[in-house]
Amino acid sequence: MGRLIIISNRLPFSLDKDGDKVSLRQSSGGLVSAIKSFFENTTAGRGELTEKMWMGVADFPQDDWDQVLAAHAEDHDFGILPVFVDKELYDKYYSGFSNSVLWPLFHYFSSLAEYENQYFEAYVQVNQLFAERIAPLLEPGDQVWIHDYQLMILPHLLRTKKPDATIGFFLHIPFPSYEIFRLMPTEWKKTLLHGVMGADLIGFHTYDYVQHFQQSVKMLLGVDNHFHNLQYLDRLIRIDLFPIGIDYNKFHGAATDPEVEEQCRKIRANLEDKKIIFSVDRLDYTKGLMNRLNGFEYFLERYPEWREKMVFILNIVPSRDTIPAYNDRKKQIEEKVGTINGRFSSISWQPVIYRYNHLPFKEMIALYQAADVALITPLRDGMNLVAKEYVACSTGRGVLILSELAGAAAELSEAILVNPTDVTDVASSITRALAMPIYEQRNRMSLMQRRLQEYDVFKWVNDFMDQLAQVKQEQRKQAVKLLDEKATAGIRRHYLRSKNRCILLDYDGTLVPFSRIPSEAAPDNAVKELLSRLSSDTRNHVVVISGRDIPSLDRWLGGLPITLVAEHGASFKMRNSTWQQMVSVSDMWKDEIRRMMQLFVLRCAGSFIEEKTNTIAWHYRNTQTGLGFSRSRELLNTLSQMIQNTTLQVIDGNKVIEVRIAGFDKGATALRIIGETDPDFVLCMGDDTTDEDMFKALEGEAYTIKVNTGATAAQYTVLSQQQVLPLLNTITETKGSLATAEPESLA
Ligand code: GDG
């Protein structure tokens, strides 16, 4: 293992200049807190990690670089790779696309999204700058971990430049449901998804986000997942959840730091014996600050007995103040604080203590410590680390009120979970928290603390890196092997030496090209001549194994002495014998499926239904590109739900969605045929999803060849259908010398 290179929008610090004196200030924010902790606690050079680097946009001019580097080197042991971006371009990329399109949309504030083309163009350009900066520096063994929504297309851009790179991507904010994601212009959303899919491992905070992402990939890119894995183009990709943790020991330990204890004592003394409710958030509309204040106001109104007995310390950290949607909120919040204080204050008491600043770390911990209740009620939040930090800082007492819409709610179920938009719920939760008996507080806290301690930020990073290494390993196992001349010659040698051969060939897409109308895909003379020549050799058993129905196969190939398999194995006719059915069930199941498919025929011009004995299929080869595909995703989705708990199966084929009775497939049929004839040479070719069953079943027993690109279980790949006949002719041509070398190994 080599270097770990973290890539995020910004470097983890900003520059403070006082005359000639330069100092670096750590940025606040979840990602920085998490990764910095990991960096500070792992020593490069020990174990497997040789070096740690962080790459991001620099918030200082290029001229200051030498000074920054010197100041950084003084107290950091990780390298920095700055990206310098022109200010105007950066604004369009950061304030524009990242924070005025992706951020609002992904947090379900769709009405705030500004779909400006120039923003998207800047986003692509800056992602490109990152790719150009990092690509030439990458060395074998490096692991690149790209973070967050500002860099969603970087994985793909980097992959194009460095196809073998190890790339992880983690999204720190929610991935929204498909219905929200699809609001974006088509080109944008496809570019984003395709971009992220350049990574080997894609991580999210919660199971919901994973599912939302998988759904969008299915609907927009046509790729289905298999549990947490999916095949995209020629690569295996893993998508999983990694709920970010905190540096538990740092926070828990800081709570008993003497300086923190002293500050905490002062805060409490200043507020006499009043209970303290506390919250700290960046100024962001997603954090639900207005709703929180509304809930708090209602609490004061509804539960007057608590007046003068508590205070609410509301700390807001400045953030993104150049974006209008943020600036407006500040005014609204300040007005609301004024209204509440004006309405409920007495000479000696003010309910809200409002502060707009960045807190020094120890002061923040002292406030966590001093607070009887933390009121953390975002309207949406990828995770929310403040909630976890508050819990970690507890020394037994304290109550967490947490929004059920924060990712953290999935792990912190012992908190009082509230709906932040429901003022009644917020108000009653506050009274409940203020009155909670100490033993209950302790009990709830200790359960949550145990969980946070177990999966802390180090586990989080290690878990992600382990999975990344595992995916790479699986990819290596799966690498597609193109059938080259040497391998072809080996297969031919084996063919010529053998005496009892079995040749299994798929029909559409393998023996013949796809046709606009299925009934017109008749074999041409070249195919007929090949099959006839092969089957006239008594040492050959030729099997055409297809999804076609009996009448089509009979009409086209019935006159040849070959075995025919129809409907993926539901019926078969051994050479010189008659048709046999593998399944016999009533046709009733088709009615409901047909009705649904008919609806899609109406909604998608050019599509049509093909009905066979055991399968019913909806073809969309002749439809408008894009529309046909997106309808096929909808149909796939609908059918998958319809057939749950039945013995049916939906297959996402090549421009066709097919439903069939489960329990037979080409794999089982191929094995059965081979079992009956015990051949000493088996060749199997196919191009579609259903052929993968054969490739898997025949592993180690046959030469398996997949036609066309894409991941496959086959041993070899040929890139197009046009290569199939020449290849079969080359392998089976008996004229010419018999090579003397040993047969090509099957393994
Ligand atoms: C994004 C996602 C996800 C805050 N104010 C001060 C301060 N902070 C520190 C906190 C905490 C971090 O900043 C804030 O983290 P959050 O998770 O609450 O929120 P985002 O910045 O929006 O982070 C979020 C996170 O990424 C990680 O994946 O959880 O959902 O939006 O660590 O301690 N630190 C100091 N003074 C402050 O005033 N010292």
Side-chain angles (χ1 to χ4, degrees), residues 275 398-399 414 416 431-442 444:
K275 295 248 183 195
V399 183
E414 290 81 10
I416 299 182
T431 36
R432 200 176 142 206
L434 290 171
M436 189 180 281
I438 189 75
Y439 69 86
E440 188 179 344
Q441 296 182 24
R442 194 169 295 133
R444 286 171 181 247

Side-chain angles (χ1 to χ4, degrees), residues 29-30 33 172 205 282 287 359 364 381-385 389:
S33 312
H172 289 262
H205 284 310
R282 282 186 307 101
K287 301 286 181 188
L359 295 167
M364 188 175 74
D381 215 332
M383 173 57 78
N384 194 302
L385 295 181
E389 292 164 5

Side-chain angles (χ1 to χ4, degrees), residues 225-362:
N225 56 293
H226 185 68
F227 298 103
H228 287 292
N229 290 345
L230 56 80
Q231 291 287 348
Y232 186 53
L233 306 176
D234 58 349
R235 262 175 333 111
L236 171 88
I237 299 173
R238 182 163 303 161
I239 300 167
D240 214 337
L241 64 145
F242 301 87
I244 195 169
I246 54 167
D247 183 347
Y248 181 86
N249 291 336
K250 172 174 149 190
F251 282 92
H252 195 63
T256 47
D257 173 301
E259 206 183 311
V260 169
E261 280 180 332
E262 177 56 19
Q263 285 198 39
C264 173
R265 202 193 49 73
K266 274 193 192 147
I267 296 166
R268 297 195 72 84
N270 284 342
L271 296 169
E272 294 157 351
D273 53 354
K274 293 185 185 56
K275 295 248 183 195
I276 298 172
I277 302 174
F278 174 62
S279 72
V280 54
D281 316 73
R282 282 186 307 101
L283 175 61
D284 198 301
Y285 48 85
T286 61
K287 301 286 181 188
L289 294 159
M290 277 308 279
N291 297 74
R292 192 177 307 166
L293 285 168
N294 287 334
F296 182 69
E297 185 178 28
Y298 185 68
F299 156 77
L300 292 172
E301 209 176 279
R302 174 82 180 68
Y303 303 98
E305 63 275 22
W306 280 108
R307 293 184 200 169
E308 314 239 1
K309 294 198 183 99
M310 44 67 57
V311 291
F312 176 18
I313 303 177
L314 173 69
N315 202 105
I316 296 181
V317 183
S319 175
R320 303 177 194 166
D321 42 18
T322 53
I323 303 173
Y326 285 73
N327 244 330
D328 298 348
R329 306 277 145 165
K330 180 167 181 268
K331 272 187 236 129
Q332 286 171 18
I333 289 163
E334 288 174 355
E335 274 169 24
K336 188 73 198 173
V337 169
T339 309
I340 297 175
N341 279 344
R343 197 173 153 201
F344 296 100
S345 291
S346 65
I347 297 293
S348 57
W349 174 70
Q350 183 173 305
V352 185
I353 299 176
Y354 164 71
R355 303 192 318 162
Y356 181 67
N357 62 359
H358 180 269
L359 295 167
F361 179 74
K362 289 196 173 166

Side-chain angles (χ1 to χ4, degrees), residues 215 635-646 650:
Q215 169 84 344
L635 180 60
L636 192 63
N637 216 13
T638 315
L639 291 175
S640 306
Q641 279 162 20
M642 278 172 73
I643 62 148
Q644 266 175 22
N645 305 322
T646 69
V650 188

Side-chain angles (χ1 to χ4, degrees), residues 657-676:
I657 304 284
E658 210 162 355
V659 179
R660 69 179 193 206
I661 299 168
F664 58 87
D665 60 43
K666 286 188 178 183
T669 311
L671 278 181
R672 186 185 162 140
I673 291 170
I674 288 175
E676 283 177 17

